[in-house]
Amino acid sequence: MTIVANRVEFGRRQCVVRVGSVSTRASWRAIVVVAALAAGALVLAVMAVGIGKYTVAPGDVLGVLVGTNNSFDRVVVLDWRMPRMLMALLIGAALGVSGAIFQALTRNALGSPDIIGVNSGAYTGALVVIAGIGGGYYAIAAGALVGGLVIAVVVYALSYRNGLAGYRLIIVGIGVSAVLNSVNQWIVIKLDYHTAVTASVWQQGTLNGLDWTQVLPMAACLAAVTAALLALGPRLQVLQMGDDAAGALGLRPDRARLEYLVIGVGLIAVACAAAGPISFVALAAPQIARRLTASAGISLVPSAAMGAVLLLVSDVIAQQLLGGNELPVGAVTVCLGGGYLIYLLVAQARRQA
């Protein structure tokens, strides 16, 4: 990756970031924010694998990572806690990018997969697979992908009236999500006791029990999505300018929107398959990142970094808040994100007044 200074003024100092043959323009403030979030995530990661009933000091954690500490700490850090920490970072990044895509496509801060029913659709698809064939990670991920895509198309179709209005899509999405939540509860009731209890805990969004077998598929999925987003280039920024401007610049808005829709739902699907439908990270991460970077539109990289930090912080709180009793991480994100949702609703209402 190379960073080239840009001598043209665009309201604030900018640079051109090139990855291979793909380039994009970014402000120095955004680069500093992403670097700070990455450094913060590294510090939090060291803390996350060190705290617990068996405490490992930060220096000992670093010793395990560089290979100089071969004591029992190595088992605790690498085998017990490292997979969960990495999954928190990967799933958080996936949710952050998915939320950024949906908010950019709807051009609305509330246009998150949590709000418009995509999360609920993915969970419904996963539950159908669990109830029908009791499949593993890949089968559940496929069911979540199909369920999320179907609901995304349904919500989009019901909301489209000579264009796509953000508030209409959100209202339709809330209604569809309410119906799906009832369907999901009915499916859980029909499951056998053991599966129903597992599905109910998983429904809250939890990182408990994750190990290295889930880390590699999740990392591979994110690598594939990153390659797809690099191949699409800056089309998402163009779409945020509106369909007329996008068409004038030679972009086919409907086709580009469909491509990003598949990517956004795919990210939700793999996250849901691994940890259940974790709410509000996809809603909050892009907006917090946007405010920190002071950017005019939604940006993917800052949203991914913020999503990773938010979920890791939430997971540390979930593990330590009640002492020895671990909470599902989704319970923490709902509490934190619920307050943020109220803030967004009040802020948008004031702007409309």
Side-chain angles (χ1 to χ4, degrees):
M1 181 179 73
T2 58
I3 300 177
V4 182
N6 194 339
R7 299 185 180 183
V8 182
E9 287 293 330
F10 291 91
R12 60 171 57 92
R13 294 185 63 187
Q14 303 242 333
C15 63
V16 176
V17 180
R18 291 194 178 95
V19 180
S21 61
V22 180
S23 64
T24 187
R25 198 182 306 277
S27 68
W28 284 107
R29 175 167 176 168
I31 293 175
V32 170
V33 167
V34 171
L37 288 173
L42 180 61
V43 173
L44 286 169
V46 172
M47 292 177 55
V49 298
I51 58 178
K53 293 182 178 179
Y54 182 92
T55 304
V56 183
D60 294 331
V61 171
L62 295 176
V64 169
L65 296 179
V66 299
T68 59
N69 184 355
N70 294 314
S71 66
F72 183 67
D73 294 345
R74 186 176 183 85
V75 176
V76 174
V77 171
L78 294 182
D79 295 340
W80 294 358
R81 296 176 182 169
M82 182 75 74
R84 178 170 180 157
M85 179 272 293
L86 291 176
M87 286 297 285
L89 291 174
L90 293 172
I91 293 173
L95 293 174
V97 172
S98 180
I101 288 173
F102 277 95
Q103 291 179 22
L105 293 180
T106 60
R107 287 182 288 165
N108 193 301
L110 297 175
S112 165
D114 321 84
I115 305 298
I116 63 176
V118 177
N119 261 18
S120 298
Y123 181 55
T124 303
L127 276 181
V128 169
V129 172
I130 292 173
I133 63 176
Y137 175 81
Y138 295 103
I140 293 174
L145 177 60
V146 172
L149 279 174
V150 169
I151 296 306
V153 171
V154 168
V155 171
Y156 183 88
L158 293 176
S159 307
Y160 194 89
R161 295 291 185 278
N162 298 321
L164 189 65
Y167 266 103
R168 186 164 59 235
L169 182 139
I170 291 167
I171 292 171
V172 171
I174 291 173
V176 171
S177 182
V179 173
L180 287 174
N181 288 336
S182 299
V183 173
N184 294 340
Q185 292 300 323
W186 178 81
I187 295 175
V188 170
I189 291 172
K190 293 297 181 180
L191 295 173
D192 64 84
Y193 176 77
H194 177 73
T195 307
V197 171
T198 302
S200 296
V201 175
W202 184 64
Q203 182 181 9
Q204 305 305 315
T206 179
L207 299 175
N208 296 344
L210 296 181
D211 55 32
W212 287 106
T213 60
Q214 283 96 9
V215 174
L216 183 57
M218 191 72 199
C221 289
L222 285 183
V225 167
T226 300
L229 290 173
L230 288 174
L232 289 174
R235 297 181 189 179
L236 191 64
Q237 289 87 338
V238 176
L239 285 175
Q240 293 183 69
M241 299 167 61
D243 288 359
D244 292 338
L249 292 173
L251 183 66
R252 296 171 59 183
D254 290 337
R255 178 176 178 178
R257 193 177 290 114
L258 178 61
E259 292 169 341
Y260 280 108
L261 180 67
V262 172
I263 291 175
V265 174
L267 288 169
I268 289 294
V270 295
C272 181
I278 298 174
S279 300
F280 289 111
V281 175
L283 171 71
Q287 292 302 314
I288 296 175
R290 181 180 182 181
R291 283 162 173 76
L292 288 177
T293 59
S295 59
I298 300 294
S299 300
L300 296 180
V301 175
S303 298
M306 179 56 65
V309 171
L310 281 178
L311 191 57
L312 185 56
V313 169
S314 298
D315 189 46
V316 171
I317 295 174
Q319 293 181 66
Q320 303 302 319
L321 185 62
L322 298 180
N325 299 318
E326 293 186 1
L327 288 171
V329 68
V332 177
T333 60
V334 164
C335 292
L336 298 178
Y340 188 73
L341 175 60
I342 293 173
Y343 162 76
L344 282 180
L345 290 171
V346 171
Q348 293 221 358
R350 287 177 177 173
R351 282 197 294 268
Q352 300 260 334

